[in-house]
């Protein structure tokens, strides 16, 4: 037995113990020798008395390059992992559409880090929805959350039938004990938890954890096309890590919570549902170290659109316009000549929610603390404040290292609507909109302008 209680293979399966490298690969892994059938999916009798079962992440008839499924060989079939359902209330976890008459979502917003409340909170009860977009019913759009976890789930499990979850830790480590293996993540890493995957969330260090979640209602997250960039840089497939098989054969009164169509239900069983002894397929959880992301940028003048920093994208029905983009702004060199180097002023058809993992963001040196969030909704102008503008306009443009910085953006084609928590309970900075008030008129009708140094 491991410290998680799950029994796993002694084969480390790659250069990172406990994980297999690659994104979207067809993996195969077994926690007991001979548990995985070879050459077929559904033998008449599975080894060890196991049950064969398929977990499908796409329709059976999805194109082969998009088709995702995993064959699981488990102690009990999943029909034994649920019973009669009862609705429960999870008041702070909201799903789209969630439009409130008394909340104004139109605006530029920023929040201080959401503090821990001082009450016991698990992965489910500690989820705090900030924005929703699109519709969970039509499987389009997303929600953004902050999680506040102070205690591990014990004999309790969760899965979402609505969504894939992208988890971005900011403080403290998490352990996801899933049907397909164990994932440990810490700040500067992310995890992807597929729709329908059953798991338990633990605090391996016993310390509170905080971070961000992008709940994806639409098509699965994928790596963006690199186009003329070619085969390398940005996020490389080999750096994503998928866990090896691990299972629990444990009898205990257990609670399973299911999110389905924005509603929450519970059911009770008499055993752990994490009982997959072997599996093969390409529908599985994974993690990625953001420090492995290799940024691309301009090396002479100007700088590309921020889409050049895309780590993951979930497509929509409009080519080139994402349901979700996950964009990373990390340490990098700035070398452009005669160029305004911070992100420029703009309005965008996409809605942008940013979070700060650590350090200082170059467009907003003040007020955007680690753990903080900002929202610039679709077609609302935004850009650097006066401090950032003056520094970028008048500084000596020598090569400069942007250091000690890591922030990200959840971007979507849909307008984001604030929840009541975001508008009335979270530490909203009422004066954020004022950060542009001190910008001055520099135009005086002469080519030199009225630049003040």
């Amino acid at each position: 037995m491991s410290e998680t209680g799950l029994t796993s293979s002694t084969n480390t399966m790659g250069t990172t113990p406990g994980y297999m490298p690659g994104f979207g690969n067809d993996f195969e892994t077994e926690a007991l020798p001979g548990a995985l059938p070879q050459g077929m999916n559904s033998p008449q009798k599975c080894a060890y008395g196991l049950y064969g079962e398929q977990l499908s992440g796409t329709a059976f008839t999805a194109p082969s390059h998009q088709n995702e499924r995993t064959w699981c060989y488990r102690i009990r079939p999943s029909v034994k992992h649920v019973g009669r359902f009862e609705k429960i209330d999870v008041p702070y976890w909201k799903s789209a559409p969630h439009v409130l008459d008394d909340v104004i979502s139109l605006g530029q917003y920023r929040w201080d880090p959401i503090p821990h409340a001082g009450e016991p909170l698990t992965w489910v009860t500690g989820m705090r929805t900030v924005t929703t977009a699109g519709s969970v019913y039509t499987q389009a759009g997303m929600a953004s959350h902050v999680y506040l976890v102070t205690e591990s789930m014990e004999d309790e499990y969760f899965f979402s039938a609505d969504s894939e979850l992208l988890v971005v830790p900011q403080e403290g480590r998490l352990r996801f004990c899933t049907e397909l293996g164990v994932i440990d993540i810490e700040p500067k890493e992310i995890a992807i938890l597929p729709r329908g995957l059953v798991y338990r969330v633990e605090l391996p260090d016993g310390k509170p954890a905080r971070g961000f979640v992008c709940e994806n209602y639409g098509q699965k997250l994928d790596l963006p096309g690199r186009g003329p960039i070619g085969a390398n840089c940005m996020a490389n497939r080999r750096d994503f890590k998928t866990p090896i098989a691990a299972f629990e054969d444990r009898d205990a009164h257990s609670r399973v919570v299911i999110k389905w169509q924005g509603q929450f239900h519970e059911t009770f069983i008499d055993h752990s549902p994490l009982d997959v002894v072997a599996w093969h397929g390409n529908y599985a959880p994974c993690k990625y170290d953001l420090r492995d992301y290799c940024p691309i940028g301009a090396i002479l003048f100007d700088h590309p659109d921020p889409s050049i920093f895309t780590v993951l994208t979930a497509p929509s029905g409009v080519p080139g316009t994402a349901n979700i983009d996950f964009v990373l702004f990390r340490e990098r060199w700035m070398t452009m000549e005669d160029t305004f180097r911070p992100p420029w002023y703009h309005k965008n058809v996409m809605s942008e929610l940013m979070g700060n993992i650590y350090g200082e963001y170059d467009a907003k040196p003040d007020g955007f603390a680690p753990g903080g969030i900002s929202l610039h909704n679709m077609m609302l102008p935004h850009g650097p404040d006066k401090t950032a503008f003056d520094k970028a306009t008048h500084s000596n443009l020598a090569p400069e290292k942007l250091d000690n910085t890591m922030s990200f953006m959840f971007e979507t084609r849909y307008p984001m609507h604030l929840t009541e928590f975001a508008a009335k309970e979270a530490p909203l900075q009422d004066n954020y909109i004022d950060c542009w008030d001190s910008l001055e008129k520099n135009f005086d009708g002469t080519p030199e302008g009225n630049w003040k140094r």
Side-chain angles (χ1 to χ4, degrees):
M1 283 285 187
S2 68
E3 63 177 300
T4 65
L6 277 77
T7 301
S8 60
S9 170
T10 56
N11 186 349
T12 59
M13 301 293 288
T15 57
T16 303
Y19 298 93
M20 302 173 285
F23 184 87
N25 289 11
D26 260 293
F27 298 102
E28 61 174 24
T29 174
E30 57 185 17
L32 295 177
L36 187 67
Q38 297 297 313
M40 63 187 308
N41 294 322
S42 186
Q44 183 180 20
K45 295 180 180 180
C46 295
Y48 295 97
L50 300 173
Y51 289 86
E53 176 179 300
Q54 185 173 228
L55 173 62
S56 294
T58 57
F60 293 142
T61 52
S64 60
H65 67 284
Q66 295 176 336
N67 204 302
E68 297 192 339
R69 86 287 174 263
T70 288
W71 273 93
C72 304
Y73 303 91
R74 55 193 323 151
I75 296 171
R76 299 175 180 87
S78 288
V79 291
K80 294 288 290 183
H81 299 334
V82 293
R84 289 177 173 82
F85 297 107
E86 295 284 344
K87 281 189 178 181
I88 60 172
D89 186 27
V90 181
Y92 284 98
W93 192 331
K94 305 297 184 183
S95 296
H98 184 72
V99 183
L100 304 176
D101 292 338
D102 61 341
V103 169
I104 299 176
S105 297
L106 181 68
Q108 301 100 330
Y109 295 101
R110 190 166 66 187
W111 292 264
D112 290 326
I114 297 173
H116 290 284
E119 59 181 306
L121 295 172
T122 66
W123 175 253
V124 175
T125 60
M127 201 67 68
R128 300 290 183 264
T129 306
V130 179
T131 65
T132 66
S135 173
V136 72
Y137 307 124
T138 59
Q139 297 185 357
M142 58 161 285
S144 66
H145 316 277
V146 170
Y147 66 81
L148 305 170
V149 180
T150 62
E151 61 179 26
S152 298
M153 298 168 72
E154 295 184 7
D155 296 325
E156 182 173 299
Y157 306 86
F158 173 77
F159 77 87
S160 173
D162 289 342
S163 52
E164 169 187 51
L165 300 184
L166 170 64
V167 184
V168 186
Q170 189 271 322
E171 174 187 275
R173 293 202 307 143
L174 292 176
R175 172 169 294 148
F176 295 97
C177 301
T178 83
E179 295 178 281
L180 303 183
V182 179
I183 289 180
D184 286 334
I185 59 170
E186 63 186 21
K188 306 178 191 178
E189 294 181 317
I190 60 173
I192 302 174
L193 304 170
R195 185 193 310 254
L197 182 78
V198 179
Y199 57 90
R200 179 180 69 239
V201 184
E202 299 176 347
L203 297 172
D205 301 323
K207 298 179 180 179
R210 178 178 63 194
F212 312 92
V213 172
C214 180
E215 184 177 5
N216 174 20
Y217 305 145
Q219 294 186 53
K220 269 188 93 276
L221 290 162
D222 199 353
L223 297 183
R226 292 190 180 101
I229 294 171
N232 304 295
C233 295
M234 301 174 73
N236 291 305
R237 290 183 178 272
R238 66 169 297 206
D239 295 324
F240 287 80
K241 309 298 182 185
T242 294
I244 62 172
F247 70 95
E248 291 180 342
D249 182 12
R250 186 166 58 86
D251 295 333
H253 181 70
S254 300
R255 179 177 183 245
V256 182
V257 176
I258 300 99
K259 182 177 186 288
W260 188 86
Q261 293 290 276
Q263 300 174 340
F264 290 83
H265 305 74
E266 67 180 5
T267 185
F268 292 91
I269 56 178
D270 62 2
H271 56 273
S272 168
L274 308 183
D275 64 354
V276 177
V277 178
W279 62 269
H280 77 87
N282 61 355
Y283 190 65
C286 65
K287 76 170 187 173
Y288 175 72
D289 192 328
L290 296 172
R291 291 162 290 195
D292 291 334
Y293 184 82
C294 181
I296 298 290
I299 56 174
L300 188 56
F301 63 89
D302 282 349
H303 55 75
D305 294 332
S307 51
I308 200 72
F309 300 127
T310 301
V311 182
L312 294 161
T313 185
S316 71
V318 179
T321 304
N323 181 66
I324 296 169
D325 281 331
F326 173 60
V327 182
L328 180 69
F329 306 104
R330 63 157 302 183
E331 295 89 350
R332 59 197 184 275
W333 279 96
M334 309 285 278
T335 62
M336 300 85 79
E337 300 174 0
D338 190 23
T339 294
F340 186 80
R341 289 180 176 177
W344 14 255
Y345 298 97
H346 70 294
K347 290 194 292 186
N348 194 353
V349 298
M350 307 290 279
S351 299
E352 304 174 355
L353 183 137
M354 287 192 61
N356 188 353
I357 300 174
Y358 67 83
E360 180 180 290
Y361 180 59
D362 63 328
K364 300 283 194 307
D366 298 316
F368 191 36
I373 313 167
S374 69
L375 172 64
H376 302 119
N377 240 320
M378 60 184 304
M379 278 304 171
L380 288 178
H382 52 284
D385 58 20
K386 187 177 189 302
T387 301
F389 177 84
D390 288 345
K391 178 182 177 182
T393 304
H394 301 305
S395 62
N396 177 25
L397 293 185
E400 177 187 8
K401 178 75 176 289
L402 284 180
D403 212 353
N404 187 36
T405 181
M406 184 177 284
S407 56
F408 68 88
M409 184 163 63
F410 298 151
E411 187 176 68
T412 179
R413 61 177 297 210
Y414 298 97
M416 293 190 187
H417 293 275
L418 299 186
T419 61
E420 187 171 13
F421 169 78
K424 300 179 180 179
E425 294 186 50
L428 181 65
Q429 297 179 8
D430 293 331
N431 62 346
Y432 175 55
I433 188 67
D434 302 328
C435 75
W436 296 288
D437 283 356
S438 57
L439 287 168
E440 300 168 293
K441 172 185 171 182
N442 295 307
F443 176 80
D444 66 1
T446 67
E448 295 80 13
N450 184 28
W451 292 112
K452 298 180 180 179
R453 297 179 181 272

